[in-house]
Amino acid sequence: MAVRGSSKQVRHALDAVESAPDALETLAAARRLREAAETLELAAVAELRRQGGTWMQIGTVYGTTKQGAQQRFRDALNRDRVREPAKDH
C-alpha cells in the first residue's frame, strides 16, 4: 500500500528535521517533510477512492464540499496516474 511507504518517508523527513545541525539544514528538511506529508495525503486520498470512498467524504474531512475536494485532489491524482473509480457515490 502506498500509504505505508509514504508514512515512512514522513518519519524519515521528521527525523531529519529533528537532527538538523543548523537553520539551513532545518529548512531543507522541513521542505522535505512538507513534500512527504503531501505525498502521504495524496496516497491516502487515492486509497480511499480505490476502496469506494466518495468525494463527499473527503470534502467532509477538509471542511469543504465534494467539489472542493475534487478541485483540491483530482488533478494531482490524474497527474500521478492514480487509478480511481469512474463513478462518485
Side-chain angles (χ1 to χ4, degrees):
M1 178 187 292
V3 173
R4 287 190 186 138
S6 297
S7 65
K8 287 180 184 179
Q9 290 176 350
V10 169
R11 283 191 295 274
H12 180 72
L14 184 57
D15 288 345
V17 169
E18 292 173 348
S19 65
D22 58 43
L24 182 59
E25 287 297 319
T26 299
L27 178 61
R31 190 199 97 242
R32 290 190 301 273
L33 176 59
R34 180 187 46 77
E35 290 171 349
E38 289 173 358
T39 299
L40 173 60
E41 180 182 48
L42 186 58
V45 168
E47 182 62 24
L48 178 61
R49 293 289 293 151
R50 273 194 292 277
Q51 291 179 8
T54 67
W55 286 113
M56 185 175 291
Q57 290 172 311
I58 296 165
T60 298
V61 169
Y62 287 91
T64 189
T65 63
K66 165 185 161 177
Q67 291 82 8
Q70 289 171 329
Q71 288 175 353
R72 181 173 182 155
F73 294 108
R74 186 169 267 165
D75 286 347
L77 290 173
N78 290 336
R79 181 178 56 246
D80 290 344
R81 298 183 186 155
V82 177
R83 298 178 79 188
E84 64 174 283
K87 186 176 178 181
D88 196 3
H89 303 280

